[in-house]
């Protein structure tokens, strides 16, 4: 059943696929001690569901030298499909075994689902490609500081939104050599993003972290949302909520497509 959390829904979907196919997951941590490199384990069946709705699974006992894994201990399980990776701390609630053809039964651990599911990427923030999601342009207003060209503050720059995360955005701007020069001389901008999940736009300050090489008259800008005193910028909170919404929409769309394929298969 769907939950109120897109990451939990993605976790449940991926683990459901692993249970059906007896696929593999990774163990990256045992009782707050990292396992390096992570250990691959087979998934054999369901476990217990956490109160928050994340499902648990039954896995083979990971081969970790010197570790005794019993009830009450926790391990961090990582599941993945393509670029999507999710992890959660799962408590061991029981031990068991599964029969194997022509051999001894394989020892297993029954896990309770995690209370919190996290996205796992190389970046600190999950970055969502928006080229097929956001139709409206972003708008940038330069905020020249000391030494900047004050006339630049009167310009309004239109940009295509390539991707976004809770920490920033990648924008694509139609540039001339003069505009590129002005952009390179101004670090901070007021940004407005019109996002399709609700009427309220995302508005806040951002700074340029990267100016790409021009291609066919377009320049990519890496922008970081700027908050006060090291806190996350409010615009980042708004964009993060949009990313969660978009991820949920993709999950629901995939489920609908799977259901339609199943109905076509039944019909013949």
């Amino acid at each position: 059943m769907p939950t109120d959390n897109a990451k939990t829904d993605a976790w449940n979907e991926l683990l459901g696929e692993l249970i059906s196919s007896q696929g593999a997951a990774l163990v990256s941590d045992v009782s707050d001690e990292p396992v390096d490199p992570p250990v691959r384990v087979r998934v054999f069946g369901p476990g217990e569901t956490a109160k928050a709705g994340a499902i648990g699974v039954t896995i083979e006992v990971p081969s970790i030298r010197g570790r005794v894994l019993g009830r009450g201990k926790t391990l961090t399980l990582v599941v993945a499909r393509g670029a999507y990776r999710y992890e959660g701390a799962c408590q061991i609630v029981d031990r068991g075994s599964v029969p194997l053809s022509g051999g001894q039964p394989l020892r297993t651990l029954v896990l309770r689902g995690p209370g919190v599911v996290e996205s796992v990427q190389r970046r600190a923030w999950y970055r969502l490609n928006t080229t097929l999601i956001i139709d409206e342009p972003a708008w940038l207003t330069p905020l020249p500081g000391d030494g900047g060209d004050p006339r630049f503050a009167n310009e309004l720059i239109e940009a295509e939104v390539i991707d976004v995360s809770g920490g920033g955005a990648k924008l694509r701007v139609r540039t001339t050599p003069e505009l590129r020069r002005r952009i390179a001389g101004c670090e901070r901008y007021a940004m407005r993003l019109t996002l399709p999940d609700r009427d309220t736009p995302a508005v806040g300050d951002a700074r340029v972290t990267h100016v790409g090489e021009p291609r066919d008259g377009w320049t990519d800008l890496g922008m970081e949302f700027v908050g006060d005193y090291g806190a996350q910028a409010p615009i980042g909170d708004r964009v993060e909520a949009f990313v969660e919404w978009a991820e949920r929409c993709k999950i629901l769309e995939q489920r609908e497509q799977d259901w339609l394929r199943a109905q076509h298969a039944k019909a013949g």
Side-chain angles (χ1 to χ4, degrees), residues 146-175:
D146 293 340
D149 185 345
R151 294 170 300 174
F152 194 33
N154 297 323
E155 296 193 28
L156 192 62
I157 302 172
E158 180 178 350
E160 180 184 356
V161 186
I162 304 302
D163 60 45
V164 296
S165 74
K170 179 179 180 180
L171 306 179
R172 185 161 293 163
V173 178
R174 174 71 75 175
T175 55

Side-chain angles (χ1 to χ4, degrees), residues 58-139:
T58 297
I59 63 170
E60 66 176 309
V61 175
S63 177
I64 304 173
R65 182 178 301 177
R67 306 285 181 92
V68 178
L69 303 181
R71 295 178 184 175
K73 291 186 178 295
T74 60
L75 55 80
T76 299
L77 200 67
V78 181
V79 294
R81 179 177 62 195
Y84 296 94
R85 293 167 61 89
Y86 298 89
E87 72 172 25
C90 302
Q91 186 176 43
I92 300 171
V93 295
D94 203 356
R95 295 175 66 92
S97 64
V98 294
L100 297 178
S101 58
Q104 295 293 324
L106 183 69
R107 292 183 301 153
T108 60
L109 301 174
V110 181
L111 308 180
R112 180 182 295 124
V116 177
V117 176
E118 299 289 350
S119 294
V120 183
Q121 286 203 345
R122 295 170 62 184
R123 296 179 181 268
W125 296 96
Y126 174 73
R127 191 168 287 272
L128 175 72
N129 186 297
T130 56
T131 52
L132 299 179
I133 304 174
I134 298 179
D135 296 325
E136 297 293 327
W139 294 96

Side-chain angles (χ1 to χ4, degrees), residues 12 17 20 34 55 79 95 120 193 213 231 246 261 268:
N12 290 348
E17 293 175 0
S20 299
I55 65 174
V79 294
R95 295 175 66 92
V120 183
L193 297 173
E213 292 297 322
R261 282 195 292 267

